């Protein structure tokens, strides 16, 4: 190895160690205001296609909270058929500028992972959403390590949506379970803000198991604690979390 190659490898090691430490030092509820740790791989799980729409909305909200545009959204043809096309007016209602989104629909899971690997190395992106259903063959510890390394070098935040899937060992920095929650209606019985029941299922080198019920605040581009039994309490508090059933996400056996 030449001196210059050794220096580059050493600098990458330092950068990776720094990003790992920053992600691990971040408070578990920092995502409420600022989205998830940038330049990392995160997983969002939904039990079925009905909850998949909720998980997609949560991913969009996390992107906006992190000021994470431009955004590339990757999905395959099976997902497009099963879940339907993205709902443009709904994305706009959440606060996403359509000009900041590029959607790519690829043939299958293999093409999905190839496209994700290429996109993760593109520093012109801020966020990459990778949406898959079921097992996603090839999405394993090796593949996710490559994605994580690419994210750490480029600074791209990767959000992998797993719908109707069993969690398995990966290199993800965090893993989340998301289900829809009832929102508080506004004046004149108007529909309320998007609401989510969220559980932190896994956090690399940190505590997990915390749950929140939150609403998306389009005006502030952040999450607010959702009213619970007439009280406005963050579900990160143990006594409040105890009243809410955990997000029904399958766990590895």
């Amino acid at each position: 190895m030449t001196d210059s190659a050794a220096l580059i490898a050493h600098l990458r090691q330092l950068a990776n160690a720094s990003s790992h430490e920053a992600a691990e030092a971040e408070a578990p509820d920092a995502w409420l205001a600022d989205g998830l740790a940038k330049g990392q791989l995160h997983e969002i799980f939904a039990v079925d296609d009905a909850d998949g729409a909720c998980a997609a909305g949560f991913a969009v909200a996390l992107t906006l909270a992190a000021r994470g545009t431009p955004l590339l959204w990757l999905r395959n043809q099976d997902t497009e058929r099963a879940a339907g096309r993205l709902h443009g007016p709904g994305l706009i209602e959440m606060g996403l500028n359509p000009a900041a989104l590029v959607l790519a629909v690829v043939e299958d899971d293999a093409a999905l992972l190839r496209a994700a690997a290429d996109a993760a190395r593109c520093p012109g992106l801020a966020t990459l959403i990778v949406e898959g259903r079921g097992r996603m063959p090839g999405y394993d510890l090796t593949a996710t390590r490559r994605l994580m390394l690419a994210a750490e070098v480029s600074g791209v935040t990767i959000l992998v949506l797993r719908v109707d899937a069993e969690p398995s060992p990966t290199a993800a920095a965090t893993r989340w379970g998301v289900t829809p929650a009832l929102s508080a209606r506004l004046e004149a019985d108007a529909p309320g803000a998007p609401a989510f029941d969220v559980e932190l299922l896994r956090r690399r080198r940190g505590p997990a198991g915390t749950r929140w019920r939150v609403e998306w605040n389009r005006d502030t581009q952040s999450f607010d604690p959702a009213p619970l039994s007439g009280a406005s309490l963050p579900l990160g508090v143990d006594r409040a979390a105890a009243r809410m059933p955990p997000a029904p996400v399958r766990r590895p056996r």
Side-chain angles (χ1 to χ4, degrees), residues 15-94:
N16 292 344
S18 175
S19 63
H20 279 306
E21 289 169 4
E24 288 158 8
E26 195 171 52
D29 61 355
W31 62 274
L32 292 167
D34 302 319
L36 298 179
K38 298 179 181 179
Q40 301 280 293
L41 168 67
H42 307 277
E43 295 176 337
I44 302 171
F45 276 76
V47 171
D48 51 29
D49 286 321
D51 286 353
C54 170
F58 183 63
V60 170
L62 288 171
T63 299
L64 294 172
R67 281 46 176 180
T69 55
L71 162 66
L72 172 62
W73 195 315
L74 298 176
R75 53 185 358 207
N76 62 26
Q77 292 176 355
D78 284 344
T79 298
E80 185 86 346
R81 285 190 289 268
R85 294 180 179 177
L86 297 183
H87 187 241
L91 297 176
I92 293 172
E93 278 298 310
M94 293 196 72

Side-chain angles (χ1 to χ4, degrees), residues 9-248:
H10 179 61
L11 290 174
R12 281 186 174 176
Q13 260 189 340
L14 292 176
N16 292 344
S18 175
S19 63
H20 279 306
E21 289 169 4
E24 288 158 8
E26 195 171 52
D29 61 355
W31 62 274
L32 292 167
D34 302 319
L36 298 179
K38 298 179 181 179
Q40 301 280 293
L41 168 67
H42 307 277
E43 295 176 337
I44 302 171
F45 276 76
V47 171
D48 51 29
D49 286 321
D51 286 353
C54 170
F58 183 63
V60 170
L62 288 171
T63 299
L64 294 172
R67 281 46 176 180
T69 55
L71 162 66
L72 172 62
W73 195 315
L74 298 176
R75 53 185 358 207
N76 62 26
Q77 292 176 355
D78 284 344
T79 298
E80 185 86 346
R81 285 190 289 268
R85 294 180 179 177
L86 297 183
H87 187 241
L91 297 176
I92 293 172
E93 278 298 310
M94 293 196 72
L96 180 65
N97 181 351
L101 168 66
V102 175
L103 172 66
V105 180
V106 299
E107 183 177 359
D108 53 25
D109 286 330
L112 185 70
L113 292 176
R114 287 196 300 270
D118 289 339
R121 294 193 292 266
C122 179
L125 284 177
T127 305
L128 169 64
I129 293 178
V130 182
E131 184 180 3
R133 300 176 70 254
R135 283 196 318 111
M136 285 182 67
Y139 182 80
D140 55 20
L141 189 57
T142 300
T144 54
R145 279 175 175 161
R146 289 173 180 160
L147 287 172
M148 177 66 90
L149 178 59
E152 289 170 339
V153 173
S154 67
V156 176
T157 304
I158 306 175
L159 306 178
V160 181
L161 301 183
R162 303 295 314 278
V163 179
D164 190 23
E166 295 279 354
S168 58
T170 66
T174 61
R175 178 179 294 157
W176 303 79
V178 184
T179 56
L182 290 176
S183 58
R185 288 191 173 274
L186 305 177
E187 293 182 6
D189 211 28
F196 309 90
D197 281 342
V198 181
E199 182 179 6
L200 177 55
L201 300 170
R202 177 183 179 273
R203 184 185 184 204
R204 189 176 54 198
R205 297 187 188 175
T210 308
R211 301 192 295 271
W212 296 262
R213 179 167 293 169
V214 294
E215 290 182 344
W216 173 243
N217 188 324
R218 175 181 172 175
D219 295 331
T220 63
Q221 299 282 276
S222 62
F223 293 93
D224 293 332
L228 181 66
S229 301
S232 182
L233 290 174
L235 291 193
V237 180
D238 288 345
R239 65 177 182 276
R243 303 174 193 169
M244 185 183 77

